Amino acid sequence: MTALNLVNLTLEYPDGEGTMTALDSVNLSVNPGQLLSLVGPSGSGKSSLLAVAATLIKPTSGLVVIDGVDATGLNEKQLAQLRRDKVGIIFQQPNLLASLTAAEQLTITEHLRGKSVKSAANRAAELLELVGLADSAKKHPHQLSGGQRQRVNIARALMAHPKVLLVDEPTAALDHARSDSIVRLLRQVTDEFNVATIMVTHDTEFVPLTDCVASMRDGVLTAPVPALSGSAAY
Ligand code: ADP
Ligand code: MG
């Protein structure tokens, strides 16, 4: 089954007297275990697409279906629950809480949800090990490098066993070597957790690490092509 299905999505923002079309009849499906690169010039609508797919913004028209659940008819509370249970969101800036350790960044949400603190702590430890930070569990954000903070961010997004991972320019603030290892980590977690991942990137050299690539221009999305053979398309 498709993990994420976007059907004929249109998003218009108010713009002076009229509107501007940030998403223009976008269709996209991403399957479990698939890593899709989303490329396109600045202002073309990539972040808007992720925000709508994450149900953070309601589309003007069209459907967002996450793991078989149509978000259209849901109220805010139901949407928040859908996001929590099924969607991992990773933005460019990790947005970690300065006063918490790496492990606590991962457990705080589960803790607030009233889940078993012990099982959350166990999962946090597993995920920190997976992202290469087993030795840094007790460090605070200021004691971590930019790449390490992004790894904590990725581990945090995986805590609730999401079906869909939405990643916006995860390497924008990192040097080449760190960017490469972050994209490889996203590849690994997509495979290992069988999650459907969309990664917005301007670093087209990392596209071959992904399965397919779709490009956006003026709110219009091209159909995805295989990442290796489709190099002419991006
Ligand atoms: P990208 O991520 O590809 O740079 P965005 O999705 O951020 O593109 O933006 C797409 C278009 O929508 C741009 O023209 C941008 O100025 C506009 N836009 C984005 N967010 C808003 C908003 N909250 N209100 C009005 N216009 C917006
Ligand atoms: Mg953007």
Side-chain angles (χ1 to χ4, degrees):
M1 190 181 62
T2 300
L4 176 68
N5 210 359
L6 307 178
V7 185
N8 216 10
L9 278 185
T10 294
L11 175 67
E12 292 172 347
Y13 290 118
D15 185 32
E17 305 272 285
T19 57
M20 71 88 52
T21 303
L23 299 176
D24 190 353
S25 308
V26 166
N27 290 288
L28 183 65
S29 293
V30 191
N31 293 325
Q34 196 175 30
L35 174 55
L36 175 126
S37 298
L38 180 57
V39 301
S42 178
S44 59
K46 305 179 301 295
S47 294
S48 296
L49 176 62
L50 292 193
V52 172
T55 77
L56 292 167
I57 301 180
K58 269 194 197 299
T60 308
S61 61
L63 299 183
V64 176
V65 184
I66 297 170
D67 195 32
V69 179
D70 180 357
T72 312
L74 303 185
N75 63 33
E76 281 308 319
K77 194 175 164 197
Q78 292 166 323
L79 286 176
Q81 189 179 348
L82 179 68
R83 276 196 296 275
R84 234 174 29 209
D85 293 344
K86 312 253 187 209
V87 185
I89 302 173
I90 299 167
F91 292 131
Q92 178 180 333
Q93 294 298 336
N95 197 16
L96 302 175
L97 298 163
S99 62
L100 300 185
T101 65
E104 288 165 348
Q105 312 284 344
L106 274 60
T107 55
I108 182 83
T109 312
E110 308 287 300
H111 188 64
L112 294 175
R113 286 169 73 182
K115 287 234 177 153
S116 151
V117 176
K118 186 141 195 287
S119 71
N122 288 341
R123 176 146 180 93
E126 278 170 28
L127 287 171
L128 286 175
E129 177 161 10
L130 178 86
V131 303
L133 290 178
D135 295 338
S136 301
K138 291 191 172 142
K139 289 189 181 165
H140 288 80
H142 73 271
Q143 298 169 300
L144 300 169
S145 70
Q148 288 174 324
R149 285 196 291 269
Q150 191 58 288
R151 286 167 183 276
V152 173
N153 199 20
I154 292 169
R156 181 175 57 180
L158 293 166
M159 274 299 281
H161 305 266
K163 302 288 184 189
V164 174
L165 213 48
L166 301 169
V167 194
D168 202 350
E169 306 212 22
T171 62
L174 302 178
D175 65 24
H176 180 270
R178 284 174 175 159
S179 297
D180 185 76
S181 68
I182 289 294
V183 178
R184 286 177 194 279
L185 179 59
L186 290 168
R187 170 82 267 173
Q188 184 191 348
V189 302
T190 299
D191 294 342
E192 211 163 309
F193 296 103
N194 207 30
V195 63
T197 304
I198 300 179
M199 178 180 73
V200 170
T201 182
H202 59 262
D203 290 320
T204 49
E205 65 169 299
F206 298 126
V207 168
L209 292 171
T210 70
D211 296 308
C212 49
V213 53
S215 66
M216 191 105 189
R217 182 173 288 267
D218 295 337
V220 177
L221 187 71
T222 62
V225 295
L228 285 172
S229 60
S231 55
Y234 55 89

